[in-house]
């Protein structure tokens, strides 16, 4: 155990370079996965609040474009097994001085899902603000939205970043701003066992609408797939860059240490011993790099969470599952990156020690 | 271990550098290979020590051909030691750790450190001792597994004459205890210490002095 550390210390400049390149790659993988996971999980927990089933316009790619008739909500609420139906308008608009803010129009029965911190739920001509945006805008009395003034009736606290950085208003007011009746319905059920039957019934009765269980919706939602795929691609690129960094640095290390491997071969140590020796050395670096990348990522995520600029929209969490995944990725990165240079090291011909003029 | 070479020829590309070498090396003797630069000493030593395959000819180790020795790493580890012109000590290990690196068991290390006069320096790193001391550590590394034969190519090439004579004396002492030494050298003085002197010229054995 002590020997590889001595070897790393002896080659400390290159060790440091390998360590930095691994740390950067691992941190990149951590951050991109945590942030994309955070976006998906924030949006899905928003939909899942009292939403066992979600109803949208049929064939729509993004809930922002969805437009359905809010009058259907009462009829759907009458279906056996449905406890409550809330209608939502999901929109985004500039709120001076912020260039873009999430705006949520909600039917009255939905208001209870927002925990009021101060004031009252909004009536017509009023809005309530998430605590984050309330701070960002420095406790405004009114806000202006699409050239209209709205009085701030209250402030709510939500752990979902999108909501905490957003504006909630009545469905009618939001309908006037965004020129639509409703974006989606969220259905809370009495009995989850009936969800498939209810989905089928809605889809049959309203051909222009599409009902899905919220879990099914999240699994098939295109926007989430795009976010996940791009984060996977960026993660894979970071992984490859990490491997390339290790391969090139380790090749230089092996070249510097040719005499060492030649002498090991000449005294009869097997190729395997040399390969494991080098793998062991990079594994040590990988473990350190993982620990540092983990710490740095947590710190960056914490900074992002509290950065006014992002209004809480960007919010990532390193779950245990993600940490384990990235740990495995780090180990694999170290092993893959070292294998080729190590095999090369194990093939150093002891003859080169005899023939070569110098150490 | 008895090493027999018959009809050794070696080419580097089209250039023939060994041209029919036959010789026998007995265990427990100190054999010096001398000759002009380019006469083929290093090439012959590399072939005898299993590092190089001859283009033609056969080497036998106690009657066994190279292909019959089994795992060559293992064979080398148990039977052969090397000393090079440069010490090739690993700089991040102490002298003792360098010697222990290839040791099958470490029981001989202390006595070797003593008989080579580097016991007090064993915890030092190679850049903290003199050139002669480094080469003695390299000799200890070669001897740690009690090999039958130690091969050395210009082992005194980087030493002053006083240290060089010290190395020859060590070889003679250890050969009297049963380890064979095969040493290629320019240095004519080695003749005063060796039991057998093989004189090379242009790829052939010119003379063998017993
Ligand atoms: N790897 C090689 N490729 C091509 N030619 C080589 C190689 N090694 C040695 N030679 C040639 O083979 C001949 C014998 O070389 P060798 O190294 O065996 O001589 P030597 O007696 O050890 O010389 P020196 O005393 O200078 O070390 C020389 O002419 C040399 O140029
Ligand atoms: Mg030579």
């Amino acid at each position: 155990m002590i020997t590889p550390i001595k070897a790393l210390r002896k080659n400390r400049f290159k060790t440091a370079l390998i360590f930095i390149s691994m740390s950067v790659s691992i941190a990149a993988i951590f951050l991109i996965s945590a942030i994309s996971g955070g976006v998906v999980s924030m949006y899905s927990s928003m939909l899942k609040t009292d939403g066992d089933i979600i109803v949208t316009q049929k064939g729509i790619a993004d809930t922002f474009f969805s437009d359905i008739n809010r009058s259907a909500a009462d009829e759907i609420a009458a279906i056996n097994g449905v406890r409550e139906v809330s209608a939502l308008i999901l929109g985004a608009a500039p709120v001076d001085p912020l260039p873009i803010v999430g705006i949520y129009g909600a039917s009255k029965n939905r208001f209870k899902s927002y925990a009021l911190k101060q004031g009252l739920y909004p009536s017509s001509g009023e809005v309530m603000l998430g605590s984050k945006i309330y701070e960002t805008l420095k406790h405004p009395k009114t806000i202006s939205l699409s050239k209209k003034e709205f009085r701030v009736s209250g402030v709510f606290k939500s752990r979902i970043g999108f909501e905490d950085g957003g504006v909630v208003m009545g469905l009618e007011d939001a309908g006037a701003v965004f020129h639509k009746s409703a974006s989606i319905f969220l259905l809370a059920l009495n009995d989850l066992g009936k969800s498939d039957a209810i989905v089928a019934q809605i889809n049959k009765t309203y051909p222009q609408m599409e009902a899905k269980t919220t879990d099914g919706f999240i699994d098939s939602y295109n926007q989430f797939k795009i976010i996940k795929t791009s984060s996977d691609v960026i993660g894979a690129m970071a992984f490859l860059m990490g491997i390339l960094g290790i391969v090139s640095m380790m090749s230089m290390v092996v070249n510097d240490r040719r005499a060492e491997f030649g002498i090991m071969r000449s005294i009869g140590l097997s190729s395997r011993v040399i390969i494991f020796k080098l793998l062991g050395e990079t594994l040590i670096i990988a473990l350190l790099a993982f620990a540092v990348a983990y710490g740095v990522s947590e710190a960056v995520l914490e900074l992002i969470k509290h950065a006014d600029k992002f209004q809480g929209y960007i919010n990532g969490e390193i779950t245990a599952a993600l940490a384990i995944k990235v740990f495995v990725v780090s180990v694999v990165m170290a092993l893959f990156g070292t294998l080729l240079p190590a095999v090369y090291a194990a093939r150093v011909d002891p003859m080169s020690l005899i023939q070569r003029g110098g150490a | 271990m008895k090493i027999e070479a018959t009809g050794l020829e070696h080419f580097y590309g089209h250039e023939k550098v060994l041209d029919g070498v036959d010789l026998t090396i007995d265990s427990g003797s100190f054999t010096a290979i001398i000759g002009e630069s380019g006469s083929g000493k290093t090439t012959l030593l590399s072939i005898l020590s299993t590092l190089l395959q001859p283009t033609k000819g056969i080497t036998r180790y106690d009657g066994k051909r190279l292909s019959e020795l089994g795992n060559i790493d293992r064979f080398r580890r148990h039977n052969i030691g090397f000393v090079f012109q440069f010490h090739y000590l690993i700089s991040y290990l102490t002298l003792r750790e360098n010697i222990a690196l290839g040791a099958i068991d470490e029981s001989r290390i202390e006595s070797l450190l003593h008989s080579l006069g580097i016991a007090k320096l064993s915890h030092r790193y190679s850049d903290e001792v003199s050139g002669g001391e480094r080469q003695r550590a390299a000799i200890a590394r070669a001897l740690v597994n009690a090999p039958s034969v130690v091969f050395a190519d210009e082992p005194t090439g980087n030493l002053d004459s006083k240290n060089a004579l010290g190395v020859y004396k060590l070889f003679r002492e250890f050969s009297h205890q049963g380890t064979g030494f095969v040493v290629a050298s320019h240095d004519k003085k080695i003749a005063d210490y060796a039991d057998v002197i093989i004189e090379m010229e242009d790829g052939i054995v010119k003379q063998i002095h017993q």
Side-chain angles (χ1 to χ4, degrees):
Chain A
M1 191 60 199
I2 194 86
T3 315
I5 290 172
K6 279 184 165 183
L8 293 175
R9 262 191 21 218
K10 170 74 190 171
N11 301 284
R12 49 177 92 75
F13 179 64
K14 280 167 188 135
T15 300
L17 288 179
I18 296 173
F19 169 76
I20 291 168
S21 105
M22 284 198 82
S23 304
V24 170
S25 306
I26 297 170
I29 296 172
F30 260 132
L31 288 174
I32 192 69
S33 312
I35 288 172
S36 69
V39 169
V40 171
S41 89
M42 274 196 292
Y43 201 61
S44 24
S45 50
M46 186 168 102
L47 297 179
K48 277 184 181 166
T49 311
D50 281 326
D52 301 318
I53 289 176
I54 179 167
V55 179
T56 63
Q57 185 180 342
K58 194 177 177 90
I60 216 75
D62 188 320
T63 46
F64 277 102
F65 303 131
S66 178
D67 189 0
I68 53 180
N69 192 337
R70 77 173 74 125
S71 61
D74 292 337
E75 298 164 31
I76 292 172
I79 294 174
N80 188 15
V82 176
R83 177 158 54 85
E84 185 171 45
V85 177
S86 46
L88 276 177
I89 288 177
L90 307 170
V95 172
D96 211 41
L98 301 172
I100 193 90
V101 171
I103 314 287
Y104 307 98
S107 53
K108 289 232 158 38
N109 59 354
R110 181 85 188 159
F111 285 164
K112 63 182 180 305
S113 73
Y114 302 98
L116 263 186
K117 249 178 75 180
Q118 65 184 71
L120 299 165
Y121 289 127
S123 323
S124 177
E126 292 180 337
V127 297
M128 64 177 163
L129 301 183
S131 64
K132 183 93 199 173
I133 193 174
Y134 186 64
E135 294 305 321
T136 310
L137 296 177
K138 307 209 168 58
H139 307 197
K141 296 257 179 314
T142 63
I143 62 164
S144 109
L145 189 60
S146 111
K147 295 179 192 134
K148 265 179 78 182
E149 288 275 303
F150 289 87
R151 209 178 72 81
V152 176
S153 70
V155 178
F156 65 92
K157 174 82 195 145
S158 169
R159 55 180 188 82
I160 298 165
F162 290 146
E163 291 184 341
D164 215 34
V167 173
V168 173
M169 62 206 307
L171 198 61
E172 292 75 17
D173 281 344
V177 172
F178 294 107
H179 311 290
K180 62 174 69 172
S181 179
S183 301
I184 60 173
F185 297 150
L186 291 176
L187 281 59
L189 305 186
N190 289 319
D191 177 5
L192 279 180
K194 291 204 182 115
S195 57
D196 288 339
I198 295 170
V199 164
Q201 186 177 343
I202 295 171
N203 283 334
K204 201 172 142 217
T205 320
Y206 305 96
Q208 73 283 21
M209 294 187 197
E210 187 165 20
K212 280 181 181 164
T213 62
T214 306
D215 286 329
F217 175 82
I218 288 163
D219 284 343
S220 64
Y221 190 35
N222 234 334
Q223 303 295 57
F224 291 169
K225 282 186 191 160
I226 291 167
I227 291 172
K228 268 188 75 70
T229 309
S230 19
S231 111
D232 286 350
V233 168
I234 294 169
M237 277 159 66
F239 177 72
L240 277 181
M241 292 307 292
I243 287 192
L244 284 180
I246 300 171
V247 171
S248 55
M249 287 316 299
M250 280 310 283
S251 303
M252 288 162 84
V253 166
V254 164
N255 208 38
D256 290 351
R257 291 166 64 183
R258 278 182 70 86
E260 177 181 340
F261 304 123
I263 204 74
M264 292 174 94
R265 299 284 292 130
S266 80
I267 60 181
L269 295 179
S270 65
S271 308
R272 208 191 309 165
V273 170
I274 294 174
I275 291 173
F276 279 126
K277 177 181 165 63
L278 284 167
L279 289 179
E281 288 177 17
T282 21
L283 261 177
I284 291 174
I285 304 180
L287 297 186
L288 282 176
F290 173 82
V292 167
Y294 189 95
V296 167
S297 305
E298 286 282 21
V300 170
L301 289 174
E302 199 57 31
L303 277 179
I304 288 176
K305 205 182 278 179
H306 292 111
D308 284 344
K309 192 171 163 189
F310 300 124
Q311 303 168 49
Y313 282 28
I314 298 180
N315 196 342
E317 195 192 341
I318 297 178
T319 58
L322 177 61
I324 291 169
K325 192 177 111 188
V326 176
F327 180 79
V328 172
V329 165
S330 311
V331 169
V332 170
M333 190 193 285
L335 297 185
F336 268 47
T338 313
L339 201 60
L340 219 68
V343 167
Y344 178 73
R347 294 218 178 126
V348 171
D349 188 349
M351 265 297 282
S352 62
L353 301 186
I354 290 190
Q355 284 178 337
R356 219 157 55 144
Chain B
M1 185 172 64
K2 184 173 175 170
I3 303 176
E4 299 159 281
T6 39
L8 291 187
E9 286 183 21
H10 197 77
F11 286 79
Y12 289 116
H14 292 294
E15 191 192 357
K16 195 175 202 173
V17 297
L18 285 186
D19 190 6
V21 171
D22 301 278
L23 52 81
T24 303
I25 288 165
D26 286 309
S27 58
S29 73
F30 179 176
T31 305
I33 304 176
I34 59 170
E36 295 290 303
S37 180
S39 58
K41 305 183 293 294
T42 295
T43 307
L44 177 59
L45 191 88
S46 311
I47 291 171
L48 295 176
S49 63
T50 74
L51 293 185
L52 186 66
Q53 291 258 23
T55 315
K56 236 184 187 174
I58 295 168
T59 48
R60 284 198 171 82
Y61 302 83
D62 279 342
K64 282 189 183 156
R65 299 169 66 142
L66 207 58
S67 56
E68 299 165 340
L69 292 175
N71 183 325
I72 195 77
D73 286 331
R74 209 184 124 79
F75 175 76
R76 245 185 244 151
R77 195 164 182 205
H78 285 261
N79 298 288
I80 293 181
F82 287 94
V83 178
F84 303 102
Q85 177 172 358
F86 298 91
H87 54 83
Y88 292 124
L89 294 171
I90 295 171
S91 59
Y92 59 82
L93 299 178
T94 63
L95 298 190
R96 194 185 193 287
E97 288 166 339
N98 266 287
I99 296 165
L101 188 66
I104 295 162
D105 73 88
E106 305 200 351
S107 59
R108 276 169 61 89
I109 295 179
E110 295 314 318
S111 69
L112 276 173
L113 285 169
H114 277 102
S115 47
L116 288 160
I118 48 174
K120 287 214 179 73
L121 310 172
S122 64
H123 60 278
R124 292 206 196 168
Y125 292 88
S126 59
D127 56 3
E128 297 168 345
V129 299
S130 75
E133 288 158 351
R134 272 175 226 156
Q135 198 59 318
R136 276 182 271 155
I139 293 169
R141 180 181 58 198
L143 289 167
V144 74
N145 290 330
S148 311
V149 190
V150 171
F151 290 91
D153 192 21
E154 309 282 358
T156 58
N158 277 4
L159 301 180
D160 59 24
S161 59
K162 181 167 160 272
N163 274 309
L165 295 186
V167 167
Y168 300 145
K169 276 186 200 142
L170 283 170
F171 287 172
R172 190 169 60 184
E173 277 166 35
F174 281 105
S175 70
H176 289 165
Q177 292 165 29
T179 309
F181 284 84
V182 181
V183 184
S185 180
H186 279 108
D187 186 2
K188 292 271 184 323
K189 288 202 205 80
I190 196 173
D192 302 339
Y193 298 86
D195 303 318
V196 181
I197 296 147
I198 299 175
E199 205 181 327
M200 297 285 298
E201 197 178 87
D202 290 336
I204 55 164
V205 175
K206 191 183 168 202
Q207 238 183 337
I208 300 183
H209 315 269
Q210 292 285 338

